Amino acid sequence: MADTAELRIGDKTLSLEVIEGSEGERAIDIRKLRSETGHISFDPGYGNSGSCRSAVTFIDGEQGILRYRGYPIEQLAEHSSFLEVSYLLIYGELPSAQQLGQFTESIRYHTMIHEDFKSFYSAMPKDAHPMAACAAAVGALGTFYPDSLDPLDPRQVEISVHRLLAKFPTMASYAYKHSIGQPFMYPDNTKDYVGNFLQLMFGTPCEQYEVNPTIEKAIDLLLILHADHEQNCSASTVRLCGSSQVNLFGAISAGINALWGPLHGGANQAVIEMLAAIRDEGLTAKQFVDRAKDRNDTSRLMGFGHRVYRNFDPRMKIIKKACFDVLGQLGVNSKLLEIAVELEEIALNDPYFVERRLYPNVDFYSGVIYTAIGTPDNMFTVMFALGRLPGWIAQWMEMHDDPDFKIGRPRQIYTGATERDYVPVGQR
Ligand code: SDX
């Protein structure tokens, strides 16, 4: 017999079912709340509200646990690859060697995009933010591939998923190449997923691009760490947009825009800009931390804090270690890394941050690696989107398979003017 929660309103008591997940999380099912009581729940920012049941990713914010389909992020970071993690998130199980081979080859041979996309990008201003270009381009994918847009047709979904995973690196690199006035590169099918992305980004038609294995491995790790994260802002955007039964490309385009915000995925760019400002303005880390604590100062310690993680972000620990490994192997001395380490040390011992349970998140160190391998600041969030793509896809597919599926339509509490009559303009 399921547990219940009793809710008393006035002289009425409502018995609500308690739902329990596989990790012991519990929720009160309020689907009959309004019909039985005339009341709705109120939870701006949804910090106490579950939007769905999901089997994709599990986070324990108190213990700093992150698992994709039950596999700890630490093990996937050490043993897996981004394409294997993409398969795991989307299909729910680790692939056999044959399944992984077929998946990898399908992605490898769909990386080219329609030639007309070149004029699509060329129409954008040179200084267009790559996230704007990517959101627009992904939304436009449906116009180039109208044959696979039905979200309720499994075969069309499979085709769209593979096309999107395969083509996004190419589309992302076009946004960058356009901004620096270099020719778009064609995909190189002799290279693996990340190696191909690197040659798309940093190769030129003038010479054969040599992939640096240290950089290739570091990017693959970063993509794994960003691949999914439960019902975060952009995943919830993909689900809400997708709940109208728009095609995959439309829903993902909405997610890219949500990720762009500096409070979400845009934080990785904001962190590196913060570190560079501290360096260039000759500020000490302590001076900046004091500014971040000052209510009268809009500065925030970007890359710190999280709605869910209240002790530490397991991804940050892995990225911080990778920072030292990669920069050491590349022989890069990074003042930005020194500042980041100092900021972390000060903040972790400052009551303001400790009391508010603010700890470094996934974005705090990732930009240091991106910078060290030559990624321009405004491409950092595109890298986040590249990593998050399989997670968004998995969440979108799970939503369509959910027996509880319905179009998302939150309620509100109206606080505006009560009824009043129209006043002709001459009498106002
Ligand atoms: C991501 O949800 C996900 O899973 C997201 C993500 C994913 O993988 O998808 O993990 C990726 O988005 C990571 C977060 C990246 N964003 C940042 O690093 C931006 C800086 N952090 C914040 O703006 C903030 O911490 C949030 C947005 C991340 C979380 O916001 P909350 O939980 O709504 O917290 P809040 O804004 O209500 O702040 C609570 C208090 C406030 O102070 P008081 O009003 O209590 O005095 O903490 C303060 C805030 O002012 N605070 C900060 C701070 N973050 C919160 N003060 C200084 N610096 C900060 N970074």
Side-chain angles (χ1 to χ4, degrees):
M1 173 71 175
D3 272 357
T4 58
E6 305 292 311
L7 177 65
R8 187 160 43 79
I9 301 175
D11 57 1
K12 186 176 175 82
T13 299
L14 182 62
S15 184
L16 297 167
E17 186 187 349
V18 173
I19 299 171
E20 182 161 330
S22 55
E23 288 286 349
E25 295 171 305
R26 295 162 69 83
I28 298 170
D29 184 343
I30 59 167
R31 282 177 285 185
K32 62 184 183 183
L33 179 66
R34 188 169 183 276
S35 62
E36 306 250 335
T37 71
H39 288 59
I40 62 170
S41 65
F42 184 68
D43 187 23
Y46 309 114
N48 300 282
S49 300
S51 62
C52 61
R53 292 182 174 93
S54 179
V56 179
T57 294
F58 171 69
I59 298 171
D60 181 323
E62 302 307 320
Q63 306 297 323
I65 291 172
L66 170 57
R67 299 189 198 120
Y68 296 158
R69 300 286 188 181
Y71 295 97
I73 192 67
E74 294 80 5
Q75 293 184 27
L76 293 171
E78 187 175 347
H79 302 298
S80 191
S81 68
F82 176 61
L83 277 189
E84 183 177 75
V85 163
S86 298
Y87 185 102
L88 170 66
L89 286 168
I90 292 168
Y91 298 106
E93 297 295 337
L94 285 171
S96 65
Q98 186 195 8
Q99 288 168 327
L100 183 58
Q102 288 169 346
F103 182 69
T104 301
E105 291 313 293
S106 171
I107 300 301
R108 185 191 302 272
Y109 291 105
H110 286 89
T111 48
M112 272 216 305
I113 59 179
H114 196 290
E115 282 293 291
D116 288 354
F117 254 114
K118 291 182 177 179
S119 49
F120 177 90
Y121 281 92
S122 304
M124 293 223 167
K126 279 272 183 282
D127 59 355
H129 195 291
M131 283 296 276
C134 287
V138 168
L141 263 181
T143 64
F144 288 90
Y145 303 102
D147 63 338
S148 61
L149 298 181
D150 182 353
L152 307 180
D153 178 328
R155 181 61 191 139
Q156 292 189 39
V157 167
E158 178 97 2
I159 292 168
S160 288
V161 165
H162 285 218
R163 275 177 172 153
L164 183 53
L165 283 170
K167 297 177 193 306
F168 191 76
T170 312
M171 297 163 76
S173 71
Y174 276 28
Y176 172 57
K177 286 300 198 187
H178 175 62
S179 73
I180 58 173
Q182 281 193 1
F184 300 135
M185 296 293 289
Y186 284 107
D188 177 349
N189 290 346
T190 66
K191 290 182 168 51
D192 290 334
Y193 193 80
V194 171
N196 177 47
F197 175 64
L198 289 169
Q199 77 87 20
L200 285 163
M201 282 284 290
F202 303 115
T204 68
C206 317
E207 56 197 17
Q208 185 63 30
Y209 180 81
E210 289 302 316
V211 175
N212 178 319
T214 299
I215 293 177
E216 186 177 32
K217 189 171 180 337
I219 293 288
D220 198 84
L221 170 65
L222 286 166
L223 297 180
I224 289 172
L225 295 171
H226 286 80
D228 193 52
H229 215 240
E230 288 189 351
Q231 305 311 315
N232 58 83
C233 177
S234 53
S236 297
T237 300
V238 169
R239 279 181 174 259
L240 187 57
C241 180
S243 72
S244 71
Q245 289 190 359
V246 71
N247 63 71
L248 172 67
F249 306 128
I252 299 296
S253 174
I256 293 172
N257 279 304
L259 186 73
W260 188 8
L263 294 186
H264 190 14
N268 57 16
Q269 179 176 347
V271 167
I272 218 72
E273 288 166 352
M274 170 187 75
L275 298 175
I278 292 169
R279 176 196 62 198
D280 300 342
E281 293 172 24
L283 290 174
T284 65
K286 174 82 172 61
Q287 284 172 321
F288 188 84
V289 168
D290 289 342
R291 278 171 54 176
K293 292 158 54 179
D294 181 354
R295 275 188 172 285
N296 301 316
D297 191 314
T298 55
S299 305
R300 275 205 159 186
L301 187 53
M302 299 310 280
F304 255 70
H306 200 276
R307 176 63 58 78
V308 176
Y309 289 124
R310 308 314 277 185
N311 280 316
F312 65 92
D313 184 332
R315 303 167 296 178
M316 184 285 294
K317 287 192 168 187
I318 299 168
I319 293 175
K320 182 178 179 181
K321 180 182 180 305
C323 257
F324 287 96
D325 294 349
V326 171
L327 271 63
Q329 288 168 40
L330 295 176
V332 171
N333 288 316
S334 168
K335 176 68 178 166
L336 299 181
L337 179 55
E338 281 175 38
I339 295 170
V341 170
E342 214 179 331
L343 284 171
E344 180 190 1
E345 179 66 26
I346 293 169
L348 291 182
N349 292 288
D350 184 303
Y352 172 95
F353 293 90
V354 174
E355 286 158 10
R356 290 170 177 79
R357 306 184 76 181
L358 302 174
Y359 295 87
N361 59 49
V362 66
D363 294 308
F364 192 64
Y365 283 103
S366 56
V368 173
I369 297 184
Y370 290 141
T371 300
I373 63 176
T375 311
D377 294 5
N378 66 2
M379 283 293 290
F380 289 6
T381 313
V382 173
M383 299 298 294
F384 195 144
L386 181 61
R388 186 53 53 90
L389 206 48
W392 286 333
I393 290 169
Q395 299 284 348
W396 178 84
M397 291 173 71
E398 183 179 64
M399 174 190 70
H400 279 294
D401 294 338
D402 189 335
D404 291 335
F405 172 87
K406 53 175 54 183
I407 187 170
R409 205 282 188 206
R411 295 272 183 168
Q412 62 166 30
I413 292 295
Y414 178 70
T415 56
T418 52
E419 186 174 5
R420 52 185 172 167
D421 295 327
Y422 180 80
V423 178
V425 66
Q427 297 173 31
R428 293 175 199 158

